[in-house]
Amino acid sequence: MSTTVKAAVFHEIDAPPEIRDVVLPDPGPGQVRVRIAAAGVCHSDLSLSNGTLAQKMPAVLGHEGTGTVEAVGEGVTSVMPGQQVILNWAPPCRECWFCRQDEPHLCEHALDGMLTPYAALTDGTPVYPGLGTGAFAEATVVPAHAVVPLPDGIDPSVAAVLGCAVITGWGAVNNSARVRPGQSAVVMGLGGVGLSLLQAARLAGADPLIAVDVSPAKEDLARSLGATDFLVADTTLTKQVRGLTEGRGADHVFEVVGSAKVVRAAWKATRRGGTVTVVGLGRVDDEVSFNALELFHQARTLRGCVFGSSDPARDIPVLAEQVRSGDLKLSAMITDEISLEGVPEAFERMRRGQGGRSLVRFGA
């Protein structure tokens, strides 16, 4: 038996997807089929589509989503049909060296699912799931450990952003940088992850909390989510940040763009002894350089941050409580609701630096 669903299928690098029928097999042992309610459009999807990240084609991208379990394969006991879940694009194996060191976000096998076809076109052509997930479709089949039960009291459509943007931004603040109340923080780049990070820094007590973007149009949204100050990214950025931090620079600067130029700007905006956390995903040929003297003299920490150093099984319940309390605002970050046909334009908005998160809604 199999199930045929509509999906946005990417056939080649830097080409828009086609809306095609995709044939999903019934879930095998250890697998589940999820009927998708909503899927966020993440910058990582754009990176997969343009070759920044390697992706076998044809592929169904989309890795940030929620839905309802329709069917489970043999041996699955963690979820059941009818249960609402959040997709986890980086499911840890819990057995490799990194998992045993309590670093499941670095699991050696988290992305194994993207290497194997999970479905087929109607002519039998194998189709690969972007980041092992394939959420730009009416349904998908994933391993059971690649879903996390959706906590009660959370709207399953807006909860899609919990699966990547929010957990990455929140984790960058709380798991990686560990921002303390009263520390100053700068967030450079206000897409979905940056807006999530901004909210998490506010909840952590960062003050001042400075939002930075190339688009002045994002100021009102940034301030509504907790920014005490908003700066347009330009050549005066370092001077402006120092002017807001008693001349020192910020305790924490978060780079959420994925650009060597922005990493360098973040470094310059950080105080001596401060921390730069690189959350953005950049190109392999976009190199950042530092001289030996500045590394010694500035005593700054430069760190990467994969998936917010998070474990969804641990962190999603914490995030859900903040959503239920009203402290964490999910819908405020969603600036565009679209259909599958709207994915190419959502990619264009990301290229232009416009808006926050675009959300594909199914069955609306």
Side-chain angles (χ1 to χ4, degrees), residues 175-301:
N175 298 330
S176 297
R178 300 187 178 182
V179 176
R180 301 191 305 273
Q183 290 187 315
S184 55
V186 178
V187 181
M188 301 184 67
L190 301 178
V193 176
L195 293 172
S196 301
L197 202 155
L198 188 65
Q199 292 198 71
R202 169 180 56 81
L203 293 173
D207 186 29
L209 176 52
I210 305 164
V212 179
D213 200 88
V214 295
S215 172
K218 294 187 179 182
E219 179 171 2
D220 289 346
L221 178 57
R223 289 186 181 277
S224 73
L225 295 178
T228 60
D229 301 273
F230 178 88
L231 302 176
V232 176
D234 61 23
T235 56
T236 68
L237 180 63
T238 300
K239 182 178 180 179
Q240 291 189 75
V241 170
R242 291 186 183 280
L244 294 169
T245 54
E246 299 179 339
R248 291 187 299 273
D251 297 309
H252 292 277
V253 180
F254 296 89
E255 194 277 353
V256 205
V257 177
S259 159
K261 180 179 178 180
V262 182
V263 171
R264 249 305 180 178
W267 176 266
K268 291 176 66 177
T270 306
R271 69 166 174 84
R272 290 187 72 191
T275 300
V276 179
T277 303
V278 178
V279 186
L281 190 156
R283 301 188 68 90
V284 67
D285 58 354
D286 191 17
E287 296 186 351
V288 188
S289 63
F290 302 90
N291 66 61
L293 177 59
E294 68 178 315
L295 290 174
F296 164 81
H297 177 71
Q298 298 295 348
R300 295 168 179 146
T301 298

Side-chain angles (χ1 to χ4, degrees), residues 72-361:
V72 301
E74 180 183 352
V76 174
T77 59
S78 56
V79 292
M80 63 185 67
Q83 190 168 4
Q84 292 180 330
V85 294
I86 298 172
L87 299 178
N88 176 9
W89 61 269
C93 70
R94 307 292 181 185
E95 297 178 355
C96 72
W97 186 90
F98 291 99
C99 285
R100 294 198 307 272
Q101 306 311 306
D102 196 27
E103 296 178 334
H105 55 286
L106 301 180
C107 175
E108 295 176 3
H109 303 290
L111 298 179
D112 285 358
M114 68 186 296
L115 304 177
T116 304
Y118 82 120
L121 301 178
T122 53
D123 65 3
T125 302
V127 176
Y128 292 86
L131 293 183
T133 308
F136 291 162
E138 294 172 327
T140 189
V141 173
V142 296
H145 70 293
V147 299
V148 178
L150 178 66
D152 293 337
I154 310 295
D155 181 341
S157 57
V158 297
V161 297
L162 288 171
C164 185
V166 175
I167 197 169
T168 299
W170 183 91
V173 170
N174 294 282
N175 298 330
S176 297
R178 300 187 178 182
V179 176
R180 301 191 305 273
Q183 290 187 315
S184 55
V186 178
V187 181
M188 301 184 67
L190 301 178
V193 176
L195 293 172
S196 301
L197 202 155
L198 188 65
Q199 292 198 71
R202 169 180 56 81
L203 293 173
D207 186 29
L209 176 52
I210 305 164
V212 179
D213 200 88
V214 295
S215 172
K218 294 187 179 182
E219 179 171 2
D220 289 346
L221 178 57
R223 289 186 181 277
S224 73
L225 295 178
T228 60
D229 301 273
F230 178 88
L231 302 176
V232 176
D234 61 23
T235 56
T236 68
L237 180 63
T238 300
K239 182 178 180 179
Q240 291 189 75
V241 170
R242 291 186 183 280
L244 294 169
T245 54
E246 299 179 339
R248 291 187 299 273
D251 297 309
H252 292 277
V253 180
F254 296 89
E255 194 277 353
V256 205
V257 177
S259 159
K261 180 179 178 180
V262 182
V263 171
R264 249 305 180 178
W267 176 266
K268 291 176 66 177
T270 306
R271 69 166 174 84
R272 290 187 72 191
T275 300
V276 179
T277 303
V278 178
V279 186
L281 190 156
R283 301 188 68 90
V284 67
D285 58 354
D286 191 17
E287 296 186 351
V288 188
S289 63
F290 302 90
N291 66 61
L293 177 59
E294 68 178 315
L295 290 174
F296 164 81
H297 177 71
Q298 298 295 348
R300 295 168 179 146
T301 298
L302 176 67
R303 63 179 304 148
C305 176
V306 177
F307 197 26
S309 305
S310 292
D311 182 348
R314 176 197 66 208
D315 294 337
I316 288 292
V318 177
L319 291 168
E321 182 57 38
Q322 293 183 339
V323 173
R324 284 192 293 261
S325 70
D327 290 333
L328 188 59
K329 301 173 176 61
L330 303 183
S331 59
M333 302 186 306
I334 299 167
T335 54
D336 298 273
E337 293 190 3
I338 61 174
S339 65
L340 275 177
E341 288 79 5
V343 169
E345 180 55 32
F347 279 14
E348 285 302 316
R349 283 192 293 273
M350 284 191 289
R351 290 188 183 100
R352 296 191 298 261
Q354 295 177 338
R357 212 37 150 209
S358 293
L359 187 73
V360 180
R361 299 194 71 159

